Amino acid sequence: MRAVAPLLICLAGSAGLAQEPPLPPLVPWDGQTRELIVPADDPWITPSERTGLTETPSYEETVAWLERLVAASPKLRMVTIGESGEGRDIVMVIASNEGAGDARALAANRRPTVLVHGGIHSGEIDGKDAGLMILRGLTVAGNSAHGIASLLDRVNLLFIPILNVDGHERSSRFGRINQRGPVEMGWRTNARNLNLNRDFTKLDTPEVQALIRTIVEYDPHLYIDVHVTDGIDYEYDITYGFNGTHSHSPHGNGWLANVLRPAVDAALARSGHVPGPLVFPADDDDLSAGIFEWNAPPRFSNGYGDARHLPSILVENHSLDPYDQRVLGTYVFLREALRIAGEEGSALRRAIARDRALDPESFPLDWGYSETPGTIDFRGVRGVRRLSGLTGGLYTEWTGEPVIVSIPLHREMVIAEQAARPAAWWIPAEWSDVIENLRAHGILMEPASEAVELDLEMYRLVDPRLAESAFEGRVRLTTGISPLIRKERMPAGSVRVPADQPLADLAALLLEPLSEDSLLQWGFFHSILSRTEYIEAYVVEPLARRMIEESPELYEEYLAALAGDPELAGSVAARRRWFYERSPWIDDQHLLYPVGRELP
């Protein structure tokens, strides 16, 4: 107890020193959209509006308000799509004119379906409170100034108010020091400390499993994931983006860039907000280094949507703007996105169909930045570099003064790694967790009812290296590969994954080893790294002599290897291993990646 007491005293003493985060000055905002907040006596005022959009309701308060709204409107239905680790229901509200609300009914009404969720990072909860206002406007607001019910004549809405429900309930005033409101906010990760927005390929979390089941079942046409930023200060309050046209879904992303973005930007600007691109600085302390226009990999929501040809938008509201400003801007964004999806639904469907019909000769696995960046007139905030007299380090002090600067825009649009398109991938039956992962994503597979022998292209791992620390609950792997052709026996229950299918890009990203989000790199195949048979010196020494007697060429190869490899020359064990690896007794499946490629 004596060792613990000083720490407890220190924590208790520090708790009263800094109760409010020392955030930069506010950029002025005239707040025209505050008129969207209903009067205090409105029977359908949301819990957050009742506080002037300074607080956000608890999980129980949110669900209770939604249950009352759903009971009052035949256009709404609330369903449970899954259960969190701590046993909370993950709820989704379905809004459609017919009110039937299941996937078959939405498909039958032939309207585009938009999927929106808030709280994948539960401290970043703007989407939840904006979404409650949207649902009210679509239903009980009627013909009032807040009514937007006519949108449902052309579009359906799937709304998940809180995806990370357990993180949402880990709520306090000290959730995010770099975010201006709400007063209390939830936590970034779920109850097992996993980041849901890194889980879209590996599917380790019940929350993202529930979301992917929903995407597979309802097959939406537009997907919007609402976040709040980290990082630097600037004038934009609502920033958002999506993968570019150099991507897995060039037509869908082209629709987002050429149809949705101009309309959404104009609506936000008319409402007094400042829309902007996603802001990923090359250097947080030096804006002149520019920002990155990123092709998100599929572990992230927007990268996952790109891989499965679902037009997907990552919204990142500016953390240093007040909560009411961010929520109201999100409301305008969602309202306009619903309008555009409805009015331009035919073009949206055509774009998705064209992406799903693509038949590339190779699959991009990783992207790099163009050597020649573009430029952007960036609406920033003036920062001043200061030298700390306390820590001795340099830091940036943001002044709140808006500035417009021309800076580089680095675009990730060059294919850095790719894999030739096979006819199919084969997964042996024993790798059932891999098969179940692909099944959960909705990837088409053809099960083998009996064992089959095939000539397949396989990969041998070259210099595989495990990461030095865990990431998102797993120890990741990086490796080189060496291809070879082998006759492989696939037992009954193995699956053939055809490359001629709508989700071929996603299958490639999960199964090709050099994809940074492959299941290999996420640790699903670590057991192939271990040797399971050994050889002793009393056997390898006479074996080596016999081998060189039978093959003088092997001896010449051995001498050349000794001359060129100091590690081999300096290690008796390595020299014995050299001969063992060239003998027929070596384990030929060691480091052999078990997923085979059926060549065209």
Side-chain angles (χ1 to χ4, degrees):
M1 288 298 295
R2 255 182 264 173
V4 175
L7 175 61
L8 295 177
I9 293 170
C10 176
L11 291 175
S14 67
L17 295 178
Q19 295 292 315
E20 297 296 332
L23 297 179
L26 279 169
V27 175
W29 180 63
D30 54 19
Q32 299 100 311
T33 47
R34 289 198 177 96
E35 65 187 22
L36 294 169
I37 301 174
V38 300
D41 60 353
D42 189 296
W44 292 106
I45 189 170
T46 68
S48 185
E49 286 176 301
R50 197 175 295 282
T51 70
L53 296 180
T54 61
E55 300 179 25
T56 193
S58 69
Y59 168 84
E60 290 79 8
E61 291 168 328
T62 301
V63 172
W65 190 91
L66 286 170
E67 288 174 338
R68 189 167 69 92
L69 182 70
V70 170
S73 174
K75 296 183 178 183
L76 301 180
R77 178 180 174 220
M78 187 159 68
V79 297
T80 296
I81 63 170
E83 186 178 275
S84 73
E86 293 183 341
R88 295 182 177 89
D89 287 342
I90 304 167
V91 301
M92 179 174 77
V93 177
I94 305 164
S96 69
N97 260 352
E98 291 77 15
D102 62 13
R104 187 173 301 175
L106 296 193
N109 72 32
R110 299 298 299 162
R111 301 186 190 105
T113 295
V114 178
L115 169 64
V116 179
H117 64 69
I120 193 170
H121 297 152
S122 282
E124 307 165 25
I125 201 60
D126 307 14
K128 177 190 74 175
D129 289 316
L132 300 190
M133 296 170 66
I134 288 285
L135 288 175
R136 176 186 63 209
L138 292 173
T139 54
V140 297
N143 296 319
S144 73
H146 302 283
I148 51 175
S150 63
L151 293 178
L152 290 181
D153 294 339
R154 295 189 173 186
V155 74
N156 308 308
L157 173 63
L158 306 175
F159 177 62
I160 303 169
I162 314 164
L163 186 62
N164 181 10
V165 290
D166 292 344
H168 187 277
E169 294 307 278
R170 185 182 170 184
S171 180
S172 76
R173 295 178 60 190
F174 307 106
R176 279 170 61 83
I177 193 171
N178 59 339
Q179 182 174 306
R180 205 171 242 117
V183 173
E184 293 188 356
M185 62 192 82
W187 202 251
R188 183 177 184 85
T189 50
N190 74 356
R192 291 183 60 171
N193 200 37
L194 292 174
N195 186 334
L196 304 189
N197 201 28
R198 307 294 184 271
D199 193 43
F200 278 77
T201 49
K202 57 189 177 70
L203 299 184
D204 284 339
T205 63
E207 298 90 348
V208 176
Q209 292 169 15
L211 177 61
I212 300 306
R213 282 196 302 270
T214 301
I215 290 174
V216 171
E217 179 181 0
Y218 285 86
D219 193 20
H221 303 89
L222 179 62
Y223 169 35
I224 301 172
D225 176 13
V226 184
H227 290 246
V228 181
T229 66
D230 304 310
I232 67 174
D233 200 2
Y234 42 79
E235 193 176 357
Y236 308 110
D237 56 356
I238 307 296
T239 71
Y240 66 99
F242 33 84
N243 283 10
T245 53
H246 294 81
S247 64
H248 301 286
S249 299
H251 301 102
N253 292 332
W255 184 91
L256 293 174
N258 300 319
V259 178
L260 182 136
R261 186 185 284 280
V264 167
D265 283 358
L268 285 165
R270 285 194 305 270
S271 302
H273 293 274
V274 185
L278 291 173
V279 180
F280 297 113
D283 184 337
D284 283 349
D285 294 316
D286 182 9
L287 195 54
S288 68
I291 61 173
F292 292 115
E293 190 176 272
W294 179 46
N295 257 0
R299 76 185 63 169
F300 299 94
S301 63
N302 50 327
Y304 180 77
D306 177 46
R308 66 177 299 130
H309 312 309
L310 166 59
S312 300
I313 302 172
L314 175 66
V315 178
E316 289 276 6
N317 299 331
H318 190 208
S319 64
L320 296 177
D321 290 321
Y323 191 56
D324 62 342
Q325 180 179 351
R326 303 196 320 260
V327 170
L328 295 171
T330 305
Y331 175 94
V332 174
F333 180 98
L334 296 178
R335 182 185 66 191
E336 190 65 12
L338 289 171
R339 184 185 72 79
I340 290 299
E343 292 183 1
E344 300 291 341
S346 295
L348 176 58
R349 289 177 187 272
R350 286 195 299 271
I352 294 171
R354 292 178 70 186
D355 285 330
R356 290 179 176 180
L358 290 173
D359 189 20
E361 293 183 358
S362 61
F363 294 110
L365 303 179
D366 193 16
W367 302 89
Y369 289 92
S370 171
E371 292 183 3
T372 306
T375 58
I376 181 174
D377 289 333
F378 187 82
R379 298 182 65 164
V381 166
R382 189 170 69 88
V384 178
R385 297 290 285 162
R386 304 288 192 197
L387 177 64
S388 169
L390 181 64
T391 67
L394 287 169
Y395 68 100
T396 299
E397 180 180 290
W398 303 106
T399 65
E401 175 189 341
V403 294
I404 297 178
V405 292
S406 181
I407 60 173
L409 177 61
H410 305 277
R411 293 188 174 95
E412 195 170 28
M413 54 192 296
V414 178
I415 296 176
E417 190 69 64
Q418 60 187 327
R421 182 189 186 94
W425 297 270
W426 280 86
I427 306 173
E430 58 267 28
W431 297 96
S432 56
D433 55 339
V434 174
I435 294 171
E436 287 307 310
N437 178 282
L438 268 64
R439 182 172 287 117
H441 287 292
I443 292 170
L444 300 178
M445 294 180 286
E446 301 166 354
S449 58
E450 56 186 33
V452 58
E453 283 197 351
L454 299 158
D455 290 322
L456 298 174
E457 182 181 43
M458 308 294 289
Y459 294 127
R460 183 85 65 186
L461 305 191
V462 177
D463 193 24
R465 295 177 182 271
L466 294 172
E468 294 183 357
S469 60
F471 175 66
E472 291 302 318
R474 289 179 173 268
V475 178
R476 285 178 54 81
L477 171 75
T478 57
T479 187
I481 57 172
S482 176
L484 64 157
I485 303 296
R486 289 170 55 102
K487 186 175 290 295
E488 289 291 319
R489 181 183 183 276
M490 293 288 163
S494 301
V495 296
R496 180 181 186 268
V497 183
D500 183 16
Q501 64 164 298
L503 295 182
D505 290 81
L506 180 57
L509 290 167
L510 294 172
L511 296 176
E512 289 293 335
L514 297 186
S515 161
E516 67 174 292
D517 272 326
S518 69
L519 299 182
L520 174 74
Q521 293 204 24
W522 275 117
F524 282 68
F525 296 93
H526 278 357
S527 58
I528 70 172
L529 304 179
S530 301
R531 289 190 183 275
T532 54
E533 290 292 348
Y534 310 93
I535 190 169
E536 286 79 12
Y538 73 86
V539 177
V540 73
E541 289 289 351
L543 174 65
R545 288 193 298 272
R546 185 191 305 170
M547 291 169 67
I548 63 173
E549 288 170 1
E550 294 177 354
S551 175
E553 295 84 2
L554 181 66
Y555 185 56
E556 295 299 322
E557 183 184 346
Y558 174 59
L559 294 178
L562 287 175
D565 186 347
E567 290 187 13
L568 180 67
S571 169
V572 171
R575 295 195 292 275
R576 288 170 176 163
R577 170 67 59 183
W578 191 93
F579 283 102
Y580 181 37
E581 288 175 348
R582 286 154 181 80
S583 79
W585 282 272
I586 192 67
D587 178 9
D588 74 336
Q589 294 194 22
H590 179 234
L591 300 183
L592 183 72
Y593 180 53
V595 176
R597 290 164 46 91
E598 178 186 322
L599 297 181

